[in-house]
Every structure is written in C-alpha cells, then in structure tokens.
Amino acid sequence: MKKIVFLSLILAFSGAVMAQISPAQIDELVGRTLKTFEVPGIAVAIVKDGKIIHAKGYGVKSILSNAPVDENTLFGIASNSKAFTTAALAILVDEGKLKWDDKVIQYIPEFKMYNDYVTKEFTIRDLLTHRSGLGLGAGDLMIWPDGNNFTTQDIINNLQYLKPVSAFRTKYDYDNLLYIVAGEVIHRASGLTWCDFIENRIMKPLEMNHSAASFLRLKDTSNVIMPHVPTDGKLKAIARYKNNVFDPAAGIYSSVNDLSKWVIMQLQKGKYGTDKTAQIFSEKQHTEMWTAQTIMPNKPSPPYFSNFKSYGLGWQLTEVKGSFQVSHTGGLDGIVTQVTMLPELNLGIIVLTNQQNGAAFNAITNTIKDSYLGIKSEDYLALYSQQRKEKEDNADKISDEVWTTVEQNKKLKIYRDLKKYAGTYKDNWLGDIVLSEKKGKLYFHSNRSPQLTGEMFFYKDNTFAVKWNNRSFLADAFLFFSEDNTNIKMKPISPLTDFSYDFQDLDFVKLPEGTK
C-alpha cells in the first residue's frame, strides 16, 4: 500500500498536470528533497492572492542539535537581501532624497573605479545592475571568507584597483561589492545605517518581528539554523558567516513567515496592511525595480524555454510559459535561499535551506510553480541530481588529477628550493600574503584574511597548489610564479569553486626583504 501511495505522488510530481499542489504533496516533495540532496533543514512558504496558504519547516536546524525547523526558524537569506537594499533606495527616491541616476560621487566623493570616465558616470542605478565592467564576483575576497578585517571604507577605496573585464554597461557580471557601496549611499543620504534603515523603514511596518538586518542584531537566536557543508565526504555543521560589512548585499536573517509579508507587499506593488492603504514605496518605484536594466545570458531550455532573462533593481526578471517571473537566489557558506514571484498569478514561493546545494530549492520551487502554471512537471529531483552528479564528477576528476600529481612529485622526491619562493607578496586590494618555509614545507598566509591559510605543494613547472586548512571552503587554488619568482597569479583548481573566491583577480608582487 505504501508503495502505491509513493508511486502516485511521484506521478503527480513528474507527469500529471496539477491545478494546485496539495499540502501533502509539498510535504512529500520536501521530504524527498531533504534526502536526495542531503539537506538537514528546509522551510517553505507559498503566498497566493495576498494570503499565506502554506508556511512550514522540515528537517532540523542543525545536525548537532536535531531541533526541528518550523515556519518561524530564521535563515540567512544571503543575496535575497539585495532587494531590500533597492527597496530602501526606492523609499529615498520617493522622499526626494536621491534619484536612481544620481552619480555615486555626489554621495561618496571618494568613490573611484579603475577608469576615470566610469568613476564620473557611475550612477546609483549602476550599483544595482551588475553591469560595471568588473568580472564575476570581482574583489569578493575582501568579504569572503569570513574573518577578514576589510571595512566598508576599505572596499570603497580598493575598487579602483579592480581591473574591468568588459566595457562599462555592456555585459552582465554578478557582483556583491557594489551593493555594499549602495548601502553606504543609503547611510549618507538618510543619516541611518543600512541596518537601521532596513529594520525601521521596512521590517517594522511589515511586522517582520523575528527578522533582523544582520545576524548580530537578532534579539533572539534560539530558533536559528546552523549552516552545513559537505566536507571530505561527510556533511558538517560549520561556523556561521557574521561579517556585518556584507550586510547590504547578504546580511538579513528571516523566516518564511516573515518573508511572506515582504513578498505579499511586493506583489501588491508596495502596499501593505489589511486595507492596503499604507505603502513602503510607491507603485512608480515598484515598476522601476521590476523593469529590465541589464540583459542576462539566456539559452532557452526545458521545461520553460524562457524568451528573455534580465536583471532589474535587486531582482532577476524572466518569462516562464508566458508568465512574468521575478526572483532571486542567495548563498552563504552552508546556506542557500530562493524567492520567486509570478505577479500575474499573484503567487509567491519562498524556499530557505541550511545546506549550500541550490538544486534543493530549485526542485521545490519549480514543482510548486508548475502546478500553478498548469503544466507537466519534470521529476526535478532526478533531473537535478543527475546534473549535479555530472558536474561534481567532472570537478572531482580535475581536482584529483592535481592532487595525484602532487603525491607523485612527493614520491619522486622532486626537489624545489622552497626558500626562494618564501617572502611577503603584495596585492593592491587584498594586501600582503606571507609565504613561509618551515621544515621543508611551504605555507600560505593572508595577513588581512587569516582564514586563507594553508600548505602549498609543488604541482608542475613554476606552479604550486595551496590546500586551505579550512576544508569546508572547497576552494583550493593554484599559485603561478613568474620565472624570477617576483610575481604570483592565482586561480581556483575546481570549476565548482564559489565565484566569490576570485583568486584570478589577484596580482601579487614580491616585496624586498625588510619591507614593512
């Protein structure tokens, strides 16, 4: 009997056209997702026609405590925070305190990009639309991993050293740092810190009573998830990211219950409350935020064959089976989240997880979405599981080849004079790293980002591989030395390394001995 019921549910998810997914089907779907992608805890909410029709937690907050997730459990929503930053700016536009196309230097005179023309022309809108000319995640090593000592002012100062990879306003490349700058614009235009503005002007009126603009500002941490990362073949709970400099791009902690209020307000074009007379921002600014600003690469693929993809102001915009979709994802170490809205259906879907596999939220969101679109739903669990396996197998093959070569070098006792590589090297924006030789081994240490510490191993030619002490990073990297050992370039080893480990943007120069 159980097998028959289970088979029926699978058919419902993978083959049948559903008018609306039932609570029991959602429970079954999320339960299978937890197991398939080894996610400890997930929370899901659906809002429809201005009401929360499903809000529920599944699994556990932490594999250490096994305490259950519920609808009020707090997750780091990561880059879903970006839409709160654009909403804050929209409020200030409504109040006449700034304009979307004001130049950034009007508010932050010291703001400077690599190119003088870009510096002068850079607008608040440009801060939000991922078209700066910088590469994917450029400079993110100033905020990633946690534990570094870069301030907001450091980041503003160091933007000038990041070399563009495309012409200004011509190409989409996702960034984080410019949202930090946008947070500082809010501070200077309003007189409030970004956190104070978000909590007082958005969260408080929406009665997002359990949420906070930063983990460090949570009044009650008794119902908060722990992040988890598969590490050396085993799922592990890891230390939480807490750097408040990153808040305007990724800092908010919230629950599906609280975020549902935010999504309902978005679907109501800025209005909220029982009579919908109060407004967070005007309908005019709402339209501005949901208007395409930057064209994104788009390869129409099943099941949606989307005709376009673009980025608005804090939101990704696309089309799915003839319906307009507004969405965003977010990711921190051990946490990934997704918010999706179909305005024409007055539908919102929120999925929060405490493991960093995005396949989990995609499987849940798309299955629910398909049921409301009235289309046949793929077996997303099988599809994404297979795609994930193929990518991981390819990445493992690449990484394994590197470390196999390293082990062979050890066995062959290939000699390298490690002392000639030792010394202090400086990058214009990341600062100094120290390579030190100790008892026949070479070690890497970043002065400003101490978690970037690990042993270096000879790979081939003038190339070494560094293995970070913190294995949950999943971000081991190559170091390429110049022939005279005075310069170092880097890049990630695995193609699945998170883009925020932007080693490829570094350019180290060896400092003379005795330099301070």
Side-chain angles (χ1 to χ4, degrees):
M1 183 65 184
K2 289 182 179 179
K3 290 183 179 179
I4 294 172
V5 172
F6 186 66
L7 179 60
S8 298
L9 286 165
I10 291 178
L11 289 172
F13 291 136
S14 61
V17 176
M18 298 181 288
Q20 180 178 316
I21 194 167
S22 70
Q25 288 172 318
I26 296 172
D27 292 349
E28 177 64 27
L29 169 65
V30 180
R32 291 174 58 210
T33 303
L34 290 167
K35 295 176 182 177
T36 301
F37 299 114
E38 200 178 5
V39 182
I42 295 176
V44 178
I46 303 173
V47 300
K48 183 75 170 73
D49 301 324
K51 297 180 181 179
I52 302 173
I53 64 170
H54 185 93
K56 191 172 180 179
Y58 302 85
V60 298
K61 292 182 282 190
S62 167
I63 59 174
L64 302 179
S65 70
N66 286 321
V69 174
D70 62 35
E71 65 275 17
N72 292 311
T73 298
L74 299 166
F75 292 71
I77 69 169
S79 284
N80 276 298
S81 305
K82 288 180 168 67
F84 283 78
T85 295
T86 60
L89 289 165
I91 293 169
L92 293 172
V93 172
D94 279 333
E95 294 176 348
K97 293 181 179 178
L98 52 77
K99 298 176 183 177
W100 294 114
D101 295 310
D102 282 347
K103 303 297 192 291
V104 175
I105 55 175
Q106 291 176 233
Y107 303 90
I108 307 177
E110 69 273 27
F111 174 82
K112 187 177 182 181
M113 299 293 283
Y114 190 80
N115 179 284
D116 287 341
Y117 169 79
V118 175
T119 299
K120 294 175 184 176
E121 294 301 313
F122 216 94
T123 65
I124 292 171
R125 188 186 304 272
D126 292 322
L127 293 173
L128 312 171
T129 48
H130 309 296
R131 61 187 191 187
S132 66
L134 298 178
L136 175 64
D140 274 4
L141 282 169
M142 287 185 279
I143 52 174
W144 199 272
D146 200 6
N148 64 71
N149 64 5
F150 289 95
T151 65
T152 296
Q153 198 58 45
D154 287 334
I155 290 169
I156 291 171
N157 178 71
N158 289 346
L159 284 171
Q160 63 186 299
Y161 301 118
L162 297 172
K163 297 179 181 179
V165 299
S166 62
F168 183 39
R169 295 179 182 153
T170 63
K171 182 176 178 290
Y172 174 88
D173 271 306
Y174 191 84
D175 71 74
N176 286 305
L177 299 189
L178 294 175
Y179 267 82
I180 295 172
V181 179
E184 182 62 14
V185 170
I186 292 168
H187 179 203
R188 298 195 188 188
S190 71
L192 296 174
T193 66
W194 180 86
C195 286
D196 283 340
F197 196 101
I198 297 302
E199 291 177 3
N200 294 330
R201 300 299 303 276
I202 299 176
M203 290 180 174
K204 187 175 180 179
L206 292 179
E207 297 183 357
M208 298 175 66
N209 298 327
H210 299 289
S211 303
S214 173
F215 175 79
L216 298 175
R217 293 170 68 99
L218 286 174
K219 296 173 183 175
D220 182 357
T221 58
S222 62
N223 192 9
V224 184
I225 58 95
M226 285 296 295
H228 299 80
V229 176
T231 307
D232 295 332
K234 185 178 180 181
L235 191 67
K236 294 183 179 180
I238 64 165
R240 185 187 317 280
Y241 187 98
K242 295 181 182 180
N243 185 356
N244 65 318
V245 170
F246 201 16
D247 288 344
I252 291 172
Y253 265 71
S254 191
S255 66
V256 290
N257 255 355
D258 275 2
L259 279 176
S260 292
K261 300 169 185 176
W262 160 255
V263 168
I264 289 170
M265 180 274 293
Q266 290 284 342
L267 289 167
Q268 293 175 172
K269 302 179 180 179
K271 296 178 181 179
Y272 69 98
T274 53
D275 55 2
K276 301 180 186 177
T277 56
Q279 286 190 299
I280 296 294
F281 44 72
S282 67
E283 185 171 340
K284 179 181 179 181
Q285 304 315 325
H286 171 266
T287 300
E288 193 77 22
M289 288 183 281
W290 284 14
T291 296
Q293 308 286 332
T294 305
I295 296 171
M296 296 176 64
N298 183 42
K299 183 179 180 181
S301 59
Y304 303 118
F305 298 99
S306 299
N307 289 309
F308 75 91
K309 185 183 289 187
S310 62
Y311 201 87
L313 302 178
W315 294 103
Q316 187 183 113
L317 313 171
T318 189
E319 170 269 335
V320 290
K321 293 295 184 181
S323 291
F324 181 49
Q325 176 177 290
V326 180
S327 66
H328 213 286
T329 59
L332 292 170
D333 276 343
I335 304 172
V336 289
T337 66
Q338 187 172 56
V339 174
T340 305
M341 292 176 282
L342 298 176
E344 292 154 19
L345 300 181
N346 206 0
L347 172 69
I349 305 164
I350 303 162
V351 183
L352 311 178
T353 83
N354 62 356
Q355 208 258 60
Q356 60 188 39
N357 191 328
F361 63 55
N362 276 327
I364 294 168
T365 296
N366 289 350
T367 302
I368 295 171
K369 180 170 65 181
D370 291 354
S371 77
Y372 281 92
L373 290 169
I375 63 175
K376 285 186 177 182
S377 189
E378 302 276 338
D379 183 351
Y380 292 110
L381 293 178
L383 175 65
Y384 295 150
S385 182
Q386 179 61 32
Q387 291 176 350
R388 174 195 179 199
K389 184 178 186 305
E390 290 173 358
K391 290 179 180 179
E392 289 182 348
D393 286 350
N394 177 61
D396 288 345
K397 182 179 179 181
I398 292 170
S399 297
D400 289 347
E401 186 278 332
V402 172
W403 297 114
T404 297
T405 300
V406 166
E407 289 303 313
Q408 289 174 343
N409 292 339
K410 289 181 183 178
K411 291 177 182 179
L412 294 172
K413 297 182 179 179
I414 296 177
Y415 177 75
R416 282 291 182 276
D417 182 5
L418 300 182
K419 287 185 172 60
K420 72 178 184 180
Y421 298 98
T424 300
Y425 297 76
K426 182 180 182 63
D427 174 78
N428 281 335
W429 56 270
L430 188 67
D432 294 354
I433 62 168
V434 177
L435 307 187
S436 55
E437 186 274 332
K438 299 175 184 177
K439 298 181 179 180
K441 295 182 178 182
L442 194 60
Y443 296 91
F444 180 112
H445 175 76
S446 168
N447 286 349
R448 299 206 65 177
S449 187
Q451 284 213 69
L452 291 179
T453 298
E455 186 176 355
M456 294 170 54
F457 302 87
F458 172 66
Y459 174 56
K460 61 176 62 172
D461 301 325
N462 228 22
T463 302
F464 284 72
V466 60
K467 181 174 285 189
W468 306 116
N469 293 344
N470 189 331
R471 303 308 300 146
S472 72
F473 288 170
L474 310 179
D476 295 337
F478 287 121
L479 284 85
F480 306 99
F481 288 84
S482 61
E483 288 300 319
D484 60 1
N485 300 321
T486 59
N487 294 84
I488 303 173
K489 299 280 191 180
M490 295 181 69
K491 78 170 186 178
I493 293 173
S494 170
L496 291 184
T497 299
D498 189 280
F499 68 79
S500 285
Y501 292 100
D502 63 315
F503 299 118
Q504 70 278 358
D505 294 320
L506 298 168
D507 187 4
F508 290 104
V509 176
K510 193 171 188 178
L511 299 178
E513 288 188 24
T515 302
K516 293 184 179 181

